[in-house]
Amino acid sequence: MMISGPGTIDDLVHDAALAGHTVTKRLVHDWVSLGLLDRPQRRRTGPHGSDKALHSIHQRKLFQLLLEARVASSRIPHLARIPLTIWMYGESGAVPTRQAHRALVTHVGDPRGSKPRALEAARFLIAPLDDCRLGTAHLRRAFLHAVRDALYTGNFDGTRLLAKARPLFEPPELHRQVVYSRGLTAAAAPESLIFEVRVKMLGGKAIADGAISLGDLETMRELLLSMPPASREGMLDDDGLPTVQAIETSGNRMMFSLGAQALSKHWSESAPSAHRGSGTGEQRAAAPGAPDSP
C-alpha cells in the first residue's frame, strides 16, 4: 500500500483496513499515549471549526509497521522497540525524541511492580544466553530467575548472579561460538556479563523513576551513533525500516548507555568536590558497585 502524505486518524484507520487489520480510533489514541505513535500536529481553527490533526507520513508508515509486527507479538513493550529503533537509526525527525521518551518508558516499564514484569525484563537483559546449547535448561532457568529476583526486589547480589552465570560460559569456546552464530554481541566472561546487567539495571531504574530527560536521550543517541559504522550495519533495510537485528539489539544498547550515564552521575555526585575527576584507579574500580540499590 502506497502512503504518499500525512493523514488524519481516519486515514490511519482506513490504511489499516486496506492492509487487512481491524483497528479503532481508541487504539490509535492509546498508542500515542504509549509512545508507539507521536502526537498528531494540530491545525488552525477555521470559520467552521478546526480540521482534524495530521499524522506525518513517517507516522503513517510506522503505524503500518506496528500493525504488521503485532501479528507476531501483541505485547506493547515489544512493539515499543520499533519506534525506538527508528528514532535511533532512521531518518531524522521520523520519530521525534518526545515520542522516543514515551516509548522507552513503555518498553522498560517497572519490574519492581510484579514478578511477571520482572521476568520479562530479565529475559530481555540476558537474551544472548537464551540458547539450548549453553548449559542446561535448569542452569539457564536458575540464572534467569536470579536476574528476575534482582529486578523485582531492587537488590543486586553480584555474588549470587555470578555463581549462577558461570556454568553458562563453560567451555568459553562454545559460549563465543553460540553467541556469534546468532549475530549477537555479548560479554566474553561471566564477570563482564554481571557488570553489564548491573549497568542496564541502573539504566532501567532511572527510566522507571522518571530520571531520564529528553536531553539525556539525545546525548545517548549521539554517543551510540558516534561508534564505528560497522556497529550500525544491518540496522535498516532498503526501505529505511528497522531490521529484526536492530529491534533485538538497540534496546540493550540504549539501556547500557543510560545506565552508564547514571553511573557517571553517581560518581560525580558522590566524589568529594576537591577530588572530582581525579579519583585513583582503586576508587574508580570500586565504583561499579554503587549505588547500593539498582
mmCIF file of all heavy atoms in Angstrom, residues 64-108:
data_model
loop_
_atom_site.group_PDB
_atom_site.id
_atom_site.type_symbol
_atom_site.label_atom_id
_atom_site.label_comp_id
_atom_site.label_asym_id
_atom_site.label_seq_id
_atom_site.Cartn_x
_atom_site.Cartn_y
_atom_site.Cartn_z
ATOM 1 N N GLN A 64 1.659 1.278 10.105
ATOM 2 C CA GLN A 64 1.552 0.046 9.336
ATOM 3 C C GLN A 64 2.573 -0.989 9.809
ATOM 4 O O GLN A 64 2.266 -2.180 9.937
ATOM 5 C CB GLN A 64 1.767 0.341 7.848
ATOM 6 C CG GLN A 64 0.622 1.089 7.187
ATOM 7 C CD GLN A 64 -0.674 0.301 7.237
ATOM 8 O OE1 GLN A 64 -0.742 -0.829 6.782
ATOM 9 N NE2 GLN A 64 -1.710 0.893 7.825
ATOM 10 N N LEU A 65 3.783 -0.540 10.098
ATOM 11 C CA LEU A 65 4.828 -1.450 10.569
ATOM 12 C C LEU A 65 4.452 -2.053 11.919
ATOM 13 O O LEU A 65 4.651 -3.250 12.168
ATOM 14 C CB LEU A 65 6.152 -0.688 10.669
ATOM 15 C CG LEU A 65 7.398 -1.496 11.030
ATOM 16 C CD1 LEU A 65 7.660 -2.581 9.992
ATOM 17 C CD2 LEU A 65 8.611 -0.573 11.143
ATOM 18 N N LEU A 66 3.894 -1.240 12.790
ATOM 19 C CA LEU A 66 3.470 -1.725 14.101
ATOM 20 C C LEU A 66 2.351 -2.755 13.979
ATOM 21 O O LEU A 66 2.348 -3.772 14.688
ATOM 22 C CB LEU A 66 2.999 -0.555 14.963
ATOM 23 C CG LEU A 66 4.088 0.392 15.462
ATOM 24 C CD1 LEU A 66 3.467 1.676 16.005
ATOM 25 C CD2 LEU A 66 4.939 -0.278 16.533
ATOM 26 N N LEU A 67 1.414 -2.504 13.085
ATOM 27 C CA LEU A 67 0.310 -3.449 12.900
ATOM 28 C C LEU A 67 0.813 -4.782 12.361
ATOM 29 O O LEU A 67 0.335 -5.850 12.763
ATOM 30 C CB LEU A 67 -0.732 -2.855 11.954
ATOM 31 C CG LEU A 67 -1.541 -1.664 12.502
ATOM 32 C CD1 LEU A 67 -2.445 -1.094 11.423
ATOM 33 C CD2 LEU A 67 -2.360 -2.086 13.724
ATOM 34 N N GLU A 68 1.786 -4.732 11.449
ATOM 35 C CA GLU A 68 2.360 -5.973 10.929
ATOM 36 C C GLU A 68 3.090 -6.730 12.030
ATOM 37 O O GLU A 68 2.977 -7.960 12.142
ATOM 38 C CB GLU A 68 3.319 -5.648 9.780
ATOM 39 C CG GLU A 68 2.627 -5.095 8.542
ATOM 40 C CD GLU A 68 3.613 -4.568 7.518
ATOM 41 O OE1 GLU A 68 4.829 -4.790 7.703
ATOM 42 O OE2 GLU A 68 3.185 -3.923 6.547
ATOM 43 N N ALA A 69 3.836 -5.990 12.859
ATOM 44 C CA ALA A 69 4.577 -6.637 13.945
ATOM 45 C C ALA A 69 3.633 -7.198 14.998
ATOM 46 O O ALA A 69 3.930 -8.210 15.647
ATOM 47 C CB ALA A 69 5.539 -5.632 14.583
ATOM 48 N N ARG A 70 2.478 -6.570 15.162
ATOM 49 C CA ARG A 70 1.514 -7.015 16.163
ATOM 50 C C ARG A 70 0.963 -8.393 15.850
ATOM 51 O O ARG A 70 0.509 -9.117 16.757
ATOM 52 C CB ARG A 70 0.367 -6.006 16.276
ATOM 53 C CG ARG A 70 -0.547 -6.241 17.450
ATOM 54 C CD ARG A 70 -1.651 -5.204 17.542
ATOM 55 N NE ARG A 70 -2.584 -5.283 16.412
ATOM 56 C CZ ARG A 70 -3.824 -4.818 16.446
ATOM 57 N NH1 ARG A 70 -4.280 -4.243 17.549
ATOM 58 N NH2 ARG A 70 -4.611 -4.906 15.398
ATOM 59 N N VAL A 71 0.997 -8.792 14.598
ATOM 60 C CA VAL A 71 0.530 -10.128 14.221
ATOM 61 C C VAL A 71 1.383 -11.196 14.899
ATOM 62 O O VAL A 71 0.886 -12.228 15.358
ATOM 63 C CB VAL A 71 0.570 -10.301 12.691
ATOM 64 C CG1 VAL A 71 0.206 -11.732 12.311
ATOM 65 C CG2 VAL A 71 -0.378 -9.304 12.020
ATOM 66 N N ALA A 72 2.710 -10.934 14.986
ATOM 67 C CA ALA A 72 3.626 -11.894 15.609
ATOM 68 C C ALA A 72 3.623 -11.772 17.130
ATOM 69 O O ALA A 72 3.722 -12.766 17.846
ATOM 70 C CB ALA A 72 5.041 -11.694 15.069
ATOM 71 N N SER A 73 3.537 -10.547 17.636
ATOM 72 C CA SER A 73 3.531 -10.325 19.088
ATOM 73 C C SER A 73 2.731 -9.071 19.386
ATOM 74 O O SER A 73 3.074 -7.990 18.902
ATOM 75 C CB SER A 73 4.956 -10.174 19.634
ATOM 76 O OG SER A 73 4.928 -9.801 21.007
ATOM 77 N N SER A 74 1.708 -9.215 20.188
ATOM 78 C CA SER A 74 0.859 -8.075 20.519
ATOM 79 C C SER A 74 1.298 -7.374 21.800
ATOM 80 O O SER A 74 0.643 -6.434 22.243
ATOM 81 C CB SER A 74 -0.600 -8.533 20.670
ATOM 82 O OG SER A 74 -0.713 -9.476 21.726
ATOM 83 N N ARG A 75 2.419 -7.815 22.380
ATOM 84 C CA ARG A 75 2.872 -7.228 23.636
ATOM 85 C C ARG A 75 3.389 -5.813 23.376
ATOM 86 O O ARG A 75 4.321 -5.608 22.593
ATOM 87 C CB ARG A 75 3.946 -8.084 24.288
ATOM 88 C CG ARG A 75 3.419 -9.452 24.732
ATOM 89 C CD ARG A 75 4.380 -10.155 25.673
ATOM 90 N NE ARG A 75 4.626 -9.396 26.879
ATOM 91 C CZ ARG A 75 3.796 -9.314 27.917
ATOM 92 N NH1 ARG A 75 2.630 -9.957 27.874
ATOM 93 N NH2 ARG A 75 4.115 -8.623 28.988
ATOM 94 N N ILE A 76 2.797 -4.852 24.054
ATOM 95 C CA ILE A 76 3.118 -3.448 23.839
ATOM 96 C C ILE A 76 4.594 -3.136 24.115
ATOM 97 O O ILE A 76 5.223 -2.406 23.340
ATOM 98 C CB ILE A 76 2.204 -2.550 24.694
ATOM 99 C CG1 ILE A 76 0.746 -2.707 24.236
ATOM 100 C CG2 ILE A 76 2.626 -1.094 24.594
ATOM 101 C CD1 ILE A 76 0.509 -2.268 22.802
ATOM 102 N N PRO A 77 5.208 -3.664 25.197
ATOM 103 C CA PRO A 77 6.639 -3.373 25.405
ATOM 104 C C PRO A 77 7.510 -3.824 24.242
ATOM 105 O O PRO A 77 8.523 -3.189 23.935
ATOM 106 C CB PRO A 77 6.968 -4.146 26.692
ATOM 107 C CG PRO A 77 5.669 -4.222 27.418
ATOM 108 C CD PRO A 77 4.630 -4.410 26.345
ATOM 109 N N HIS A 78 7.128 -4.928 23.594
ATOM 110 C CA HIS A 78 7.879 -5.389 22.424
ATOM 111 C C HIS A 78 7.678 -4.438 21.254
ATOM 112 O O HIS A 78 8.641 -4.076 20.562
ATOM 113 C CB HIS A 78 7.428 -6.793 22.028
ATOM 114 C CG HIS A 78 7.818 -7.851 23.009
ATOM 115 N ND1 HIS A 78 7.520 -9.179 22.835
ATOM 116 C CD2 HIS A 78 8.482 -7.785 24.194
ATOM 117 C CE1 HIS A 78 7.975 -9.876 23.860
ATOM 118 N NE2 HIS A 78 8.553 -9.050 24.695
ATOM 119 N N LEU A 79 6.457 -4.015 21.023
ATOM 120 C CA LEU A 79 6.178 -3.100 19.909
ATOM 121 C C LEU A 79 6.884 -1.762 20.108
ATOM 122 O O LEU A 79 7.271 -1.105 19.136
ATOM 123 C CB LEU A 79 4.675 -2.882 19.777
ATOM 124 C CG LEU A 79 3.833 -4.102 19.381
ATOM 125 C CD1 LEU A 79 2.355 -3.746 19.359
ATOM 126 C CD2 LEU A 79 4.264 -4.648 18.024
ATOM 127 N N ALA A 80 7.064 -1.346 21.362
ATOM 128 C CA ALA A 80 7.698 -0.050 21.632
ATOM 129 C C ALA A 80 9.136 0.003 21.153
ATOM 130 O O ALA A 80 9.692 1.091 20.958
ATOM 131 C CB ALA A 80 7.627 0.258 23.128
ATOM 132 N N ARG A 81 9.757 -1.167 20.946
ATOM 133 C CA ARG A 81 11.137 -1.171 20.448
ATOM 134 C C ARG A 81 11.228 -0.653 19.020
ATOM 135 O O ARG A 81 12.281 -0.166 18.599
ATOM 136 C CB ARG A 81 11.717 -2.588 20.518
ATOM 137 C CG ARG A 81 11.836 -3.141 21.925
ATOM 138 C CD ARG A 81 12.437 -4.531 21.936
ATOM 139 N NE ARG A 81 11.626 -5.480 21.187
ATOM 140 C CZ ARG A 81 11.930 -6.770 21.070
ATOM 141 N NH1 ARG A 81 13.025 -7.246 21.648
ATOM 142 N NH2 ARG A 81 11.158 -7.591 20.397
ATOM 143 N N ILE A 82 10.129 -0.746 18.266
ATOM 144 C CA ILE A 82 10.166 -0.351 16.856
ATOM 145 C C ILE A 82 10.350 1.155 16.701
ATOM 146 O O ILE A 82 11.274 1.597 16.007
ATOM 147 C CB ILE A 82 8.918 -0.868 16.125
ATOM 148 C CG1 ILE A 82 8.929 -2.405 16.111
ATOM 149 C CG2 ILE A 82 8.851 -0.308 14.708
ATOM 150 C CD1 ILE A 82 7.684 -3.037 15.521
ATOM 151 N N PRO A 83 9.523 2.012 17.321
ATOM 152 C CA PRO A 83 9.799 3.450 17.203
ATOM 153 C C PRO A 83 11.134 3.845 17.817
ATOM 154 O O PRO A 83 11.788 4.778 17.326
ATOM 155 C CB PRO A 83 8.615 4.105 17.935
ATOM 156 C CG PRO A 83 8.024 3.044 18.781
ATOM 157 C CD PRO A 83 8.254 1.769 18.040
ATOM 158 N N LEU A 84 11.560 3.141 18.867
ATOM 159 C CA LEU A 84 12.859 3.439 19.458
ATOM 160 C C LEU A 84 13.985 3.201 18.455
ATOM 161 O O LEU A 84 14.925 3.997 18.351
ATOM 162 C CB LEU A 84 13.087 2.581 20.703
ATOM 163 C CG LEU A 84 12.390 3.034 21.978
ATOM 164 C CD1 LEU A 84 12.557 1.989 23.060
ATOM 165 C CD2 LEU A 84 12.929 4.378 22.435
ATOM 166 N N THR A 85 13.888 2.112 17.715
ATOM 167 C CA THR A 85 14.935 1.789 16.741
ATOM 168 C C THR A 85 14.931 2.786 15.589
ATOM 169 O O THR A 85 15.999 3.199 15.103
ATOM 170 C CB THR A 85 14.737 0.358 16.208
ATOM 171 O OG1 THR A 85 14.645 -0.546 17.309
ATOM 172 C CG2 THR A 85 15.906 -0.060 15.323
ATOM 173 N N ILE A 86 13.749 3.177 15.144
ATOM 174 C CA ILE A 86 13.677 4.179 14.078
ATOM 175 C C ILE A 86 14.243 5.504 14.572
ATOM 176 O O ILE A 86 14.964 6.197 13.847
ATOM 177 C CB ILE A 86 12.222 4.350 13.604
ATOM 178 C CG1 ILE A 86 11.732 3.054 12.949
ATOM 179 C CG2 ILE A 86 12.102 5.513 12.628
ATOM 180 C CD1 ILE A 86 10.273 3.085 12.540
ATOM 181 N N TRP A 87 13.936 5.881 15.809
ATOM 182 C CA TRP A 87 14.488 7.115 16.378
ATOM 183 C C TRP A 87 16.010 7.059 16.418
ATOM 184 O O TRP A 87 16.684 8.058 16.136
ATOM 185 C CB TRP A 87 13.933 7.308 17.789
ATOM 186 C CG TRP A 87 14.594 8.416 18.554
ATOM 187 C CD1 TRP A 87 14.398 9.759 18.392
ATOM 188 C CD2 TRP A 87 15.555 8.274 19.604
ATOM 189 N NE1 TRP A 87 15.181 10.459 19.277
ATOM 190 C CE2 TRP A 87 15.902 9.568 20.033
ATOM 191 C CE3 TRP A 87 16.157 7.172 20.223
ATOM 192 C CZ2 TRP A 87 16.821 9.799 21.063
ATOM 193 C CZ3 TRP A 87 17.059 7.399 21.240
ATOM 194 C CH2 TRP A 87 17.392 8.696 21.644
ATOM 195 N N MET A 88 16.541 5.887 16.746
ATOM 196 C CA MET A 88 17.988 5.762 16.874
ATOM 197 C C MET A 88 18.694 5.764 15.521
ATOM 198 O O MET A 88 19.684 6.475 15.317
ATOM 199 C CB MET A 88 18.314 4.456 17.629
ATOM 200 C CG MET A 88 19.812 4.174 17.754
ATOM 201 S SD MET A 88 20.692 5.382 18.742
ATOM 202 C CE MET A 88 20.008 5.009 20.349
ATOM 203 N N TYR A 89 18.187 4.999 14.571
ATOM 204 C CA TYR A 89 18.927 4.771 13.328
ATOM 205 C C TYR A 89 18.238 5.321 12.072
ATOM 206 O O TYR A 89 18.871 5.389 11.011
ATOM 207 C CB TYR A 89 19.158 3.276 13.129
ATOM 208 C CG TYR A 89 19.970 2.639 14.237
ATOM 209 C CD1 TYR A 89 19.374 1.772 15.159
ATOM 210 C CD2 TYR A 89 21.336 2.912 14.368
ATOM 211 C CE1 TYR A 89 20.124 1.190 16.175
ATOM 212 C CE2 TYR A 89 22.079 2.329 15.383
ATOM 213 C CZ TYR A 89 21.462 1.476 16.288
ATOM 214 O OH TYR A 89 22.192 0.912 17.293
ATOM 215 N N GLY A 90 16.973 5.660 12.165
ATOM 216 C CA GLY A 90 16.228 6.050 10.973
ATOM 217 C C GLY A 90 16.408 7.505 10.585
ATOM 218 O O GLY A 90 17.256 8.231 11.117
ATOM 219 N N GLU A 91 15.564 7.929 9.657
ATOM 220 C CA GLU A 91 15.618 9.291 9.149
ATOM 221 C C GLU A 91 15.330 10.297 10.260
ATOM 222 O O GLU A 91 14.434 10.100 11.077
ATOM 223 C CB GLU A 91 14.604 9.458 8.016
ATOM 224 C CG GLU A 91 14.607 10.832 7.368
ATOM 225 C CD GLU A 91 13.602 10.919 6.231
ATOM 226 O OE1 GLU A 91 13.144 9.853 5.747
ATOM 227 O OE2 GLU A 91 13.274 12.053 5.829
ATOM 228 N N SER A 92 16.098 11.372 10.279
ATOM 229 C CA SER A 92 15.940 12.388 11.317
ATOM 230 C C SER A 92 14.514 12.943 11.316
ATOM 231 O O SER A 92 13.993 13.328 10.273
ATOM 232 C CB SER A 92 16.938 13.529 11.092
ATOM 233 O OG SER A 92 16.753 14.547 12.037
ATOM 234 N N GLY A 93 13.898 12.962 12.480
ATOM 235 C CA GLY A 93 12.553 13.509 12.613
ATOM 236 C C GLY A 93 11.436 12.526 12.371
ATOM 237 O O GLY A 93 10.270 12.833 12.649
ATOM 238 N N ALA A 94 11.752 11.337 11.853
ATOM 239 C CA ALA A 94 10.693 10.348 11.610
ATOM 240 C C ALA A 94 10.008 9.973 12.917
ATOM 241 O O ALA A 94 8.781 9.823 12.973
ATOM 242 C CB ALA A 94 11.272 9.110 10.933
ATOM 243 N N VAL A 95 10.800 9.806 13.956
ATOM 244 C CA VAL A 95 10.299 9.602 15.319
ATOM 245 C C VAL A 95 10.960 10.658 16.191
ATOM 246 O O VAL A 95 12.171 10.588 16.422
ATOM 247 C CB VAL A 95 10.615 8.190 15.846
ATOM 248 C CG1 VAL A 95 10.287 8.087 17.335
ATOM 249 C CG2 VAL A 95 9.830 7.140 15.067
ATOM 250 N N PRO A 96 10.240 11.663 16.661
ATOM 251 C CA PRO A 96 10.847 12.713 17.483
ATOM 252 C C PRO A 96 11.254 12.193 18.857
ATOM 253 O O PRO A 96 10.743 11.165 19.326
ATOM 254 C CB PRO A 96 9.745 13.768 17.586
ATOM 255 C CG PRO A 96 8.471 13.017 17.379
ATOM 256 C CD PRO A 96 8.801 11.894 16.435
ATOM 257 N N THR A 97 12.154 12.904 19.498
ATOM 258 C CA THR A 97 12.667 12.468 20.796
ATOM 259 C C THR A 97 11.562 12.403 21.841
ATOM 260 O O THR A 97 11.585 11.539 22.716
ATOM 261 C CB THR A 97 13.785 13.414 21.266
ATOM 262 O OG1 THR A 97 14.822 13.440 20.269
ATOM 263 C CG2 THR A 97 14.392 12.941 22.578
ATOM 264 N N ARG A 98 10.588 13.302 21.765
ATOM 265 C CA ARG A 98 9.496 13.276 22.751
ATOM 266 C C ARG A 98 8.732 11.957 22.667
ATOM 267 O O ARG A 98 8.300 11.404 23.687
ATOM 268 C CB ARG A 98 8.551 14.457 22.531
ATOM 269 C CG ARG A 98 7.862 14.465 21.170
ATOM 270 C CD ARG A 98 6.866 15.602 21.022
ATOM 271 N NE ARG A 98 6.248 15.590 19.697
ATOM 272 C CZ ARG A 98 6.716 16.257 18.645
ATOM 273 N NH1 ARG A 98 7.817 16.994 18.773
ATOM 274 N NH2 ARG A 98 6.095 16.186 17.477
ATOM 275 N N GLN A 99 8.569 11.437 21.457
ATOM 276 C CA GLN A 99 7.899 10.150 21.288
ATOM 277 C C GLN A 99 8.798 9.021 21.768
ATOM 278 O O GLN A 99 8.332 8.081 22.438
ATOM 279 C CB GLN A 99 7.532 9.920 19.825
ATOM 280 C CG GLN A 99 6.884 8.549 19.570
ATOM 281 C CD GLN A 99 6.726 8.228 18.087
ATOM 282 O OE1 GLN A 99 6.970 9.092 17.231
ATOM 283 N NE2 GLN A 99 6.320 7.012 17.777
ATOM 284 N N ALA A 100 10.087 9.095 21.436
ATOM 285 C CA ALA A 100 11.028 8.057 21.862
ATOM 286 C C ALA A 100 11.073 7.953 23.381
ATOM 287 O O ALA A 100 11.195 6.848 23.935
ATOM 288 C CB ALA A 100 12.424 8.362 21.309
ATOM 289 N N HIS A 101 10.960 9.079 24.061
ATOM 290 C CA HIS A 101 10.977 9.073 25.528
ATOM 291 C C HIS A 101 9.795 8.282 26.074
ATOM 292 O O HIS A 101 9.953 7.441 26.972
ATOM 293 C CB HIS A 101 10.946 10.515 26.037
ATOM 294 C CG HIS A 101 11.172 10.636 27.511
ATOM 295 N ND1 HIS A 101 10.156 10.485 28.427
ATOM 296 C CD2 HIS A 101 12.301 10.882 28.234
ATOM 297 C CE1 HIS A 101 10.639 10.639 29.650
ATOM 298 N NE2 HIS A 101 11.940 10.882 29.562
ATOM 299 N N ARG A 102 8.610 8.509 25.528
ATOM 300 C CA ARG A 102 7.429 7.765 25.978
ATOM 301 C C ARG A 102 7.554 6.289 25.619
ATOM 302 O O ARG A 102 7.177 5.408 26.404
ATOM 303 C CB ARG A 102 6.153 8.345 25.364
ATOM 304 C CG ARG A 102 5.856 9.773 25.763
ATOM 305 C CD ARG A 102 4.401 10.170 25.490
ATOM 306 N NE ARG A 102 3.975 9.894 24.128
ATOM 307 C CZ ARG A 102 4.192 10.687 23.088
ATOM 308 N NH1 ARG A 102 4.871 11.811 23.246
ATOM 309 N NH2 ARG A 102 3.744 10.376 21.890
ATOM 310 N N ALA A 103 8.082 6.004 24.429
ATOM 311 C CA ALA A 103 8.244 4.610 24.004
ATOM 312 C C ALA A 103 9.235 3.878 24.904
ATOM 313 O O ALA A 103 9.054 2.696 25.216
ATOM 314 C CB ALA A 103 8.717 4.557 22.552
ATOM 315 N N LEU A 104 10.276 4.575 25.326
ATOM 316 C CA LEU A 104 11.280 3.954 26.194
ATOM 317 C C LEU A 104 10.672 3.597 27.543
ATOM 318 O O LEU A 104 10.916 2.507 28.077
ATOM 319 C CB LEU A 104 12.465 4.904 26.376
ATOM 320 C CG LEU A 104 13.654 4.356 27.159
ATOM 321 C CD1 LEU A 104 14.259 3.149 26.451
ATOM 322 C CD2 LEU A 104 14.719 5.444 27.342
ATOM 323 N N VAL A 105 9.878 4.495 28.099
ATOM 324 C CA VAL A 105 9.206 4.204 29.368
ATOM 325 C C VAL A 105 8.271 3.003 29.208
ATOM 326 O O VAL A 105 8.206 2.125 30.074
ATOM 327 C CB VAL A 105 8.425 5.440 29.847
ATOM 328 C CG1 VAL A 105 7.574 5.099 31.070
ATOM 329 C CG2 VAL A 105 9.380 6.584 30.178
ATOM 330 N N THR A 106 7.565 2.944 28.089
ATOM 331 C CA THR A 106 6.672 1.817 27.821
ATOM 332 C C THR A 106 7.448 0.517 27.673
ATOM 333 O O THR A 106 7.045 -0.532 28.192
ATOM 334 C CB THR A 106 5.861 2.083 26.543
ATOM 335 O OG1 THR A 106 5.036 3.237 26.746
ATOM 336 C CG2 THR A 106 4.979 0.895 26.184
ATOM 337 N N HIS A 107 8.557 0.589 26.967
ATOM 338 C CA HIS A 107 9.363 -0.610 26.722
ATOM 339 C C HIS A 107 9.950 -1.162 28.016
ATOM 340 O O HIS A 107 9.909 -2.368 28.261
ATOM 341 C CB HIS A 107 10.485 -0.280 25.748
ATOM 342 C CG HIS A 107 11.508 -1.360 25.600
ATOM 343 N ND1 HIS A 107 11.182 -2.663 25.282
ATOM 344 C CD2 HIS A 107 12.866 -1.336 25.733
ATOM 345 C CE1 HIS A 107 12.287 -3.392 25.232
ATOM 346 N NE2 HIS A 107 13.308 -2.617 25.515
ATOM 347 N N VAL A 108 10.472 -0.285 28.857
ATOM 348 C CA VAL A 108 11.169 -0.732 30.069
ATOM 349 C C VAL A 108 10.187 -1.081 31.173
ATOM 350 O O VAL A 108 10.322 -2.101 31.849
ATOM 351 C CB VAL A 108 12.156 0.360 30.546
ATOM 352 C CG1 VAL A 108 12.764 -0.022 31.891
ATOM 353 C CG2 VAL A 108 13.251 0.568 29.511
#
